[in-house]
Amino acid sequence: MFSVFRQRIERAGLAPVAPQAVDTLPPLPEQALAMPRLQLDDEQLQADPRAGFPFPDPSFMGGEDRALAHLAQYLARKLPHSYKATRNGLYGIDYSSKLSPWLACGALSPRYVLQQLKTFEAEQGASDGSYWLWFELLWRDYFKLLQCQYGRRLYRAGGLPGKSAPPHDAVAFLRWRCGETGQPLVDAGMRELAATGYLGNRMRQIVASYLIYDLQCDWRAGAAWFESALIDYDCSVNHGNWLYIAGLGTDPRGGRRFNLEKQTAEHDADGAYRACWRAA
Ligand SMILES: Cc1cc2nc3c(=O)[nH]c(=O)nc-3n(C[C@H](O)[C@H](O)[C@H](O)COP(=O)(O)OP(=O)(O)OC[C@H]3O[C@@H](n4cnc5c(N)ncnc54)[C@H](O)[C@@H]3O)c2cc1C
């Protein structure tokens, strides 16, 4: 269980291990150098102004330099302090750290993030918000741990308990994937995902729960769609979250069903997010 894992880590008072610095890398293999490079035309390089992670924008492009600069500005603006209050946001950039794409592709070391967060707390004071950012980063570690612990068992249709295969409705799945379920909040989320490759954590939970519990679809189909669409796709983290919501992982509550009406009232009461991602 995550809470047991967290308590043990906290009790042990583990200090962040410094990331290993590498001064020089061996040259790329010949085959890699000969591979054709992806060509993007100007139109594809336009950032969607509605995107939570507007990656064609120079500050959100790939690579370690951008990742370090993004983390530095996030800490310099003291955003960890407001993280707990804003992390469930649906719209904008600063409601969460937006570190995930760089973490997922290895451009940013989680050890380095932790080290920087601890330095931030030493200089600016720890707060509920900075703790909560650490807490969420620990979820990432936790899913990595589950991957090491259970390996292929995590990928069975019936998850860790080895239950029978879930039901599936291919037509409902297609409607969900295309943002055409008729549920405005779910459809807005699925459109944002398809258009930008990013979705905030709350919306990921809402659309995943809707697919599993309301549409009675196989959680693995949802995980596969996320895999193909997410700019921050990370195998163990994506799979772990889907399993958790489906109640086939280590959730002591046996799954997370989100009430759509309640979620809409709590997170998009004014309808701004739904309006932003309304079908053209
Ligand atoms: C169904 C589902 C699928 C997901 N698939 C992925 C995925 O493929 N790749 C991915 O990186 N995250 C995934 N997440 C977790 C989470 O939604 C994203 O990490 C987060 O939205 C990324 O934005 P951020 O960097 O601004 O996060 P922040 O809220 O700023 O969190 C900081 C960091 O903590 C970690 N983190 C936050 N929430 C979680 C979480 N629930 N589980 C594990 N780590 C977390 C991430 O590394 C994140 O970058 C998924 C969540 C759900 C519910």
Side-chain angles (χ1 to χ4, degrees), residues 83 87 96-101 103-104 133 136-137 139-140 143 198-201 204-205 208 226 230 232-234 237-238 241-242 245:
Y83 175 76
R87 73 202 160 90
S96 65
S97 74
K98 303 293 166 13
L99 293 173
S100 58
L103 283 171
L133 187 55
E136 293 299 346
L137 285 160
W139 268 105
R140 178 186 172 281
F143 286 130
Y198 182 84
L199 205 54
N201 187 57
R204 294 186 204 203
Q205 291 173 322
F226 268 36
L230 280 175
D232 64 11
Y233 170 66
D234 177 309
V237 177
N238 184 51
N241 273 287
W242 276 95
I245 292 173

Side-chain angles (χ1 to χ4, degrees), residues 166-167 176 205-220 222 241-248 256-257:
W176 175 83
Q205 291 173 322
I206 291 171
V207 300
S209 158
Y210 188 75
L211 182 75
I212 295 167
Y213 297 107
D214 296 81
L215 298 179
Q216 294 281 308
C217 285
D218 189 332
W219 63 277
R220 293 171 304 167
N241 273 287
W242 276 95
L243 269 179
Y244 201 82
I245 292 173
L248 299 171
R256 304 280 154 150
R257 184 176 189 160

Side-chain angles (χ1 to χ4, degrees), residues 110-160:
R111 289 183 185 177
Y112 181 77
V113 176
L114 189 54
Q115 225 181 24
Q116 292 299 300
L117 187 59
K118 291 291 166 201
T119 307
F120 170 86
E121 286 184 331
E123 289 169 358
Q124 307 291 341
S127 60
D128 274 4
S130 63
Y131 171 80
W132 216 264
L133 187 55
W134 171 82
F135 182 97
E136 293 299 346
L137 285 160
L138 197 65
W139 268 105
R140 178 186 172 281
D141 281 2
Y142 177 68
F143 286 130
K144 301 276 172 194
L145 176 77
L146 289 188
Q147 176 67 52
C148 299
Q149 193 171 359
Y150 294 112
R152 61 197 304 171
R153 280 180 63 193
L154 294 171
Y155 298 85
R156 298 186 305 196
L160 283 182

Side-chain angles (χ1 to χ4, degrees), residues 29-280:
E30 297 279 317
Q31 303 96 302
L33 290 171
M35 273 166 67
R37 292 190 170 246
L38 185 65
Q39 297 288 337
L40 294 171
D41 58 35
D42 284 353
E43 202 181 316
Q44 284 172 298
L45 284 175
Q46 295 291 320
D48 188 322
R50 301 168 297 175
F53 192 93
F55 59 86
D57 181 297
S59 333
F60 289 87
M61 282 193 175
E64 187 181 25
D65 290 348
R66 305 290 163 88
L68 296 179
H70 180 81
L71 176 63
Q73 64 81 34
Y74 186 78
L75 299 176
R77 291 162 65 216
K78 303 191 176 62
L79 289 175
H81 287 325
S82 52
Y83 175 76
K84 191 174 180 201
T86 61
R87 73 202 160 90
N88 282 320
L90 308 187
Y91 189 78
I93 292 174
D94 291 335
Y95 65 81
S96 65
S97 74
K98 303 293 166 13
L99 293 173
S100 58
W102 288 296
L103 283 171
C105 71
L108 185 62
S109 155
R111 289 183 185 177
Y112 181 77
V113 176
L114 189 54
Q115 225 181 24
Q116 292 299 300
L117 187 59
K118 291 291 166 201
T119 307
F120 170 86
E121 286 184 331
E123 289 169 358
Q124 307 291 341
S127 60
D128 274 4
S130 63
Y131 171 80
W132 216 264
L133 187 55
W134 171 82
F135 182 97
E136 293 299 346
L137 285 160
L138 197 65
W139 268 105
R140 178 186 172 281
D141 281 2
Y142 177 68
F143 286 130
K144 301 276 172 194
L145 176 77
L146 289 188
Q147 176 67 52
C148 299
Q149 193 171 359
Y150 294 112
R152 61 197 304 171
R153 280 180 63 193
L154 294 171
Y155 298 85
R156 298 186 305 196
L160 283 182
K163 289 192 180 160
S164 51
H168 191 60
D169 178 336
V171 175
F173 174 71
L174 193 64
R175 287 207 317 268
W176 175 83
R177 216 192 75 184
C178 301
E180 291 171 4
T181 65
Q183 291 292 347
L185 188 62
V186 173
D187 291 348
M190 297 310 290
R191 285 195 206 106
E192 180 186 2
L193 176 63
T196 70
Y198 182 84
L199 205 54
N201 187 57
R202 176 56 47 156
M203 278 310 303
R204 294 186 204 203
Q205 291 173 322
I206 291 171
V207 300
S209 158
Y210 188 75
L211 182 75
I212 295 167
Y213 297 107
D214 296 81
L215 298 179
Q216 294 281 308
C217 285
D218 189 332
W219 63 277
R220 293 171 304 167
W225 177 245
F226 268 36
E227 173 172 351
S228 69
L230 280 175
I231 192 173
D232 64 11
Y233 170 66
D234 177 309
C235 184
S236 35
V237 177
N238 184 51
H239 228 74
N241 273 287
W242 276 95
L243 269 179
Y244 201 82
I245 292 173
L248 299 171
T250 55
D251 182 4
R253 276 163 51 186
R256 304 280 154 150
R257 184 176 189 160
F258 289 74
N259 178 310
L260 204 48
E261 235 170 84
K262 189 162 171 267
Q263 294 298 318
T264 307
E266 274 176 22
H267 301 291
D268 192 37
D270 62 1
Y273 179 76
R274 279 164 291 164
C276 174
W277 291 104
R278 192 174 292 138

